[in-house]
Structures are given as C-alpha cells and as structure tokens.
Amino acid sequence: MADLKRRNTRQKDAVRHALGEAIGFVSAQQLHLVLKNHGSTIGLATVYRALADLAEAGEADPLQSKDGELLYRACTTSHHHHLICRACGKTVEIEADRVEKWADEVASEHGFTQPSHTIDIFGTCSACQ
Amino acid sequence: MADLKRRNTRQKDAVRHALGEAIGFVSAQQLHLVLKNHGSTIGLATVYRALADLAEAGEADPLQSKDGELLYRACTTSHHHHLICRACGKTVEIEADRVEKWADEVASEHGFTQPSHTIDIFGTCSACQ
DNA sequence: AGGCTTATTGAGAACGATTGTCAATAACTG
DNA sequence: CAGTTATTGACAATCGTTCTCAATAAGCCT
C-alpha cells in the first residue's frame, strides 16, 4: 500500500477530469458513458479501477446509493459530509465539526478505536418540493 | 401502499424470528442459510421479500455494508443509530438526539424538507484490537 | 366446513453492478 | 532506444438482488 508504483496515464487523467466536471455524485457507469460519448475508448473496468484509486488517494468521495450503486464525487477539500436531494441529486457540502467530535467520543466511550463514520443527510431541496 | 393486503405466513414469521435471534446485522443470504440449516424449505427470494416488508413496516433496520451488501437487524425501539465493529460486526445502539437535531437543522437551513439521515460509526472494538 | 379469490411462495432464470482474466499496450527506467 | 512491467480494454465470471410463473395456501364468504 505504501510502495505501489503508480503510473500516470491519460485514462486516469480523463477520469479525474470527467469527475471534476460532473455535478454531484456520479456512478462509474455514467462516467464511462460520458467518456465514451466524448470519443474516448476507455474501458469500463478501467473507469472502475481509476475511481477506486482516486478514492483511496483521497481525491474522490465515495457514497453508497440507496440501491447499492457506488457513486463518486470529486473531493476538493478535507473531510466533510453531504446534504443530498432525494429528487434531483443536488448536493451541498456541509461542515460537521461538532458531529465529528461526537462520533469520535461515542466510539471511544464504547472502547472502539480507529473511528470512522458515515453521515449523510437526505431531503427534498427547495426546487423539488 | 396504504391498502395493500398483507397475509400472515409462516415464512414471514420465520424470517422475523430468525432476524430476532441474530446478533448484529445479517444479510438476506445469511438468514436464508440459517433457515435452511434449521430445516426450512424457504426460498431465497422469499427471504428478500420478507426482509423488505419488515424494513418497510419498521420492524427491521436496513444498512448498506461497505461492499454493497444490504444488511438487516431486528429493530426494537424507535429511531437510533449504530456503532459497528469493522472486524467482528458487533453492534452497539446509540442515542443521538443532539445529532438528530443537528441534521434536521442543517437540512432546513439549506431549504431541504423531509429530512432523513444515515449516521453510522465504524471502529475496531476492544475485543478485536 | 367447503369453495373461491388472489396474495404469497419457491425454483430458477434474468439482471445489473462490479471484479477478474489475460494478451496487448505503453510508461517509466537506465 | 530497448527492456521491464504497470496498465489497459474486451470479455467472461461473480455476486447480490429482483423477476417470472406455475403451484400453493390465506383469508373471506356462504
């Protein structure tokens, strides 16, 4: 995990770029379709691999959709959470320092170490009422 | 959704019971296996359907596992969240009134209505260090 | 109780998302 | 520029879940 050699390929860059362009969360399949439509010959498996790499490198933000699909989003800053519209998928990044701390506290109270958490809020945004 | 006629079948009861016996979160497949091993001839599809029904009826607690599997847990009380051991799956129910409120506030601040949320904390429990 | 309607079942096929396989390609190294 | 090997892309394979459909059995009615 530390000494893996990574090469820079145009394919990975393409995925990175397409992910940056995308609004909100997108699935690997959607990205693959977009890239294809733009003339790329990139393979679906490659998109999956690139996204997994980006996620591990902290450049992408993974999220399990309700129906078991794995969605990604370009991740600019540090740790944050999301407020997501159920209808249109619009996403707002939210800071949650208070909740971060709360989560870590709860974990250590119960003797759990290396705490991580999943916090996402869903709702219907003003445009979709 | 309101006037659906539901029948009580031994199969559904069996799933309900098996779910109650289970410790922590279990997958539909695991439950199916357990039931089979206890001599039941229940079908896998039926387990899925029963679990979906229970979840909708508020009797079961659904959770997306890291690798896209859908896990369920018997849900006794009201709304609560979970602290889950990454290694052994041990689960602690946690109250999170503060966080509930926070989530609702954040949602309405951004004009989102009908807020719901996913809050789960993962860690390594004391026994699994 | 006996019959009727129709929700539910179970077995397997079908499905969709993801991962594996493997020969061909192309990034880096020296 | 040649050699090494990570990466690619096409496709098969896998895994969890849902669908299909004939058979079964719940609940209602008389």
Side-chain angles (χ1 to χ4, degrees), chain A residues 31-104:
Chain A
L31 274 184
H32 178 235
L33 201 61
V34 168
L35 289 166
K36 282 272 191 180
N37 287 343
H38 280 250
S40 171
T41 64
I42 194 170
L44 178 56
T46 304
V47 176
Y48 275 100
R49 287 182 285 234
L51 284 173
D53 283 355
L54 289 175
E56 193 176 340
E59 292 186 56
D61 223 15
L63 171 76
Q64 286 275 356
S65 92
K66 208 86 177 182
D67 43 305
E69 225 176 352
L70 202 45
L71 305 179
Y72 292 94
R73 184 168 200 265
C75 180
T76 50
T77 63
S78 56
H79 188 63
H80 56 254
H81 298 288
H82 299 107
L83 171 57
I84 303 158
C85 174
R86 258 188 293 264
C88 68
K90 179 183 158 189
T91 305
V92 180
E93 294 193 359
I94 52 186
E95 298 292 334
D97 296 345
R98 271 162 50 196
V99 180
E100 305 287 334
K101 260 185 67 180
W102 167 82
D104 289 354

Side-chain angles (χ1 to χ4, degrees), chain B residues 71-83:
Chain B
L71 305 178
Y72 292 93
R73 183 168 200 262
C75 181
T76 50
T77 62
S78 54
H79 187 64
H80 55 254
H81 298 288
H82 300 108
L83 172 57

Side-chain angles (χ1 to χ4, degrees), chain A residues 64-68 83-86 90 92 94-96 98-99 102-103 105-107 110-126 129, chain B residues 64-68 83-86 90 92 94-96 98-99 102-103 105-107 110-126 129:
Chain A
Q64 286 275 356
S65 92
K66 208 86 177 182
D67 43 305
L83 171 57
I84 303 158
C85 174
R86 258 188 293 264
K90 179 183 158 189
V92 180
I94 52 186
E95 298 292 334
R98 271 162 50 196
V99 180
W102 167 82
E105 280 168 19
V106 169
H110 291 272
F112 282 58
T113 56
Q114 303 160 31
S116 68
H117 51 259
T118 304
I119 300 180
D120 290 296
I121 310 178
F122 296 86
T124 308
C125 81
S126 45
Q129 304 293 346
Chain B
Q64 287 275 356
S65 92
K66 208 85 178 180
D67 42 305
L83 172 57
I84 303 158
C85 174
R86 258 188 293 264
K90 179 183 159 191
V92 180
I94 52 186
E95 299 292 334
R98 270 161 49 196
V99 180
W102 168 83
E105 280 169 16
V106 169
H110 291 272
F112 283 59
T113 56
Q114 303 160 31
S116 68
H117 50 259
T118 305
I119 300 181
D120 290 296
I121 309 179
F122 297 87
T124 309
C125 81
S126 46
Q129 304 292 347

